[in-house]
Amino acid sequence: MATSQFEDLLEHIDFSQVQCLNQQKDHPVQNILKQGLRDQSTLLLTSDVDEQLLIYVPFSQAVKIHSITLGAPSDGSGPKSLKIWVNKINMGFESTDETPTQHIQLTEEAIADDATPVPLRFVKFQNVNSVAILVESNFGEVENTSISKLIFLGAPLQGTNMTE
């Protein structure tokens, strides 16, 4: 399926429930998700005490996710290895040894400003109420990981708005 058949799922994110573990207070997860903020490459999500981040994104209704688009600085702090879980709530770093829905090894080209979306195993992302994303490492093996943009591309499942 072509990516053009899918929409930015921004309006389906339940921002009141979005969380990120190990983020710097001055560089929160909202910077990479919200329209306007994620379009400014200087507004980043940055890890705090090490390179790992655990991002939890719930949706206001069930969605299908086809792919994700990531952006990051070109200074080596961009994410290299991701683990993604579907519909896992209350995840902490102690849960990240569990088998993920998908494990992705990114290339530096995949996180460039003009990068094409990274496809997901679409069959595994069909009835998604939330995703948890672990950033395991970055390209420069530096202390902090930084992300400038995270976009989910897919489609809502009809008639499942959980906020109504």
Side-chain angles (χ1 to χ4, degrees), residues 75-148:
D75 61 3
S77 68
K80 180 178 181 180
S81 178
L82 303 178
K83 287 183 178 179
I84 304 174
W85 291 266
V86 169
N87 300 334
K88 291 285 284 182
I89 55 174
N90 300 321
M91 276 207 68
F93 284 107
E94 68 282 351
S95 306
T96 59
D97 287 336
E98 296 176 18
T99 303
T101 306
Q102 187 165 351
H103 189 193
I104 299 173
Q105 292 294 326
L106 296 167
T107 62
E108 292 188 76
E109 294 78 29
I111 58 172
D113 285 339
D114 58 351
T116 58
V118 176
L120 300 177
R121 282 189 220 120
F122 195 45
V123 69
K124 301 266 189 183
F125 291 83
Q126 289 296 303
N127 190 12
V128 179
N129 294 304
S130 65
V131 293
I133 301 173
L134 172 68
V135 177
E136 285 189 297
S137 62
N138 56 45
F139 282 99
E141 298 181 15
V142 294
E143 185 173 333
N144 302 104
T145 297
S146 293
I147 304 172
S148 60

Side-chain angles (χ1 to χ4, degrees), residues 3-4 7-8 22 32 36 43 45 56 58-60 85 97 101-102 104 109 113 130 132 142 144 148 155 157:
T3 305
S4 61
E7 65 184 69
D8 181 346
N22 194 37
I32 66 169
L43 290 177
L45 165 62
Y56 175 73
F59 297 94
S60 58
W85 291 266
D97 287 336
T101 306
Q102 187 165 351
I104 299 173
E109 294 78 29
D113 285 339
S130 65
V142 294
N144 302 104
S148 60
L157 295 179

Side-chain angles (χ1 to χ4, degrees), residues 16-78:
S16 69
Q17 301 297 316
V18 170
Q19 298 175 13
C20 183
L21 300 181
N22 194 37
Q23 69 182 349
Q24 291 181 4
K25 287 186 170 101
D26 295 342
H27 300 281
V29 68
Q30 287 76 8
N31 286 351
I32 66 169
L33 292 171
K34 288 191 173 182
Q35 190 75 41
L37 298 179
R38 69 179 186 196
D39 301 322
Q40 300 178 44
S41 61
T42 57
L43 290 177
L44 303 171
L45 165 62
T46 302
S47 63
D48 194 13
V49 299
D50 61 22
E51 75 279 4
Q52 294 190 337
L53 289 161
L54 185 55
I55 304 165
Y56 175 73
V57 180
F59 297 94
S60 58
Q61 70 180 83
V63 297
K64 298 185 260 187
I65 304 175
H66 174 268
S67 54
I68 57 173
T69 301
L70 286 155
S74 59
D75 61 3
S77 68

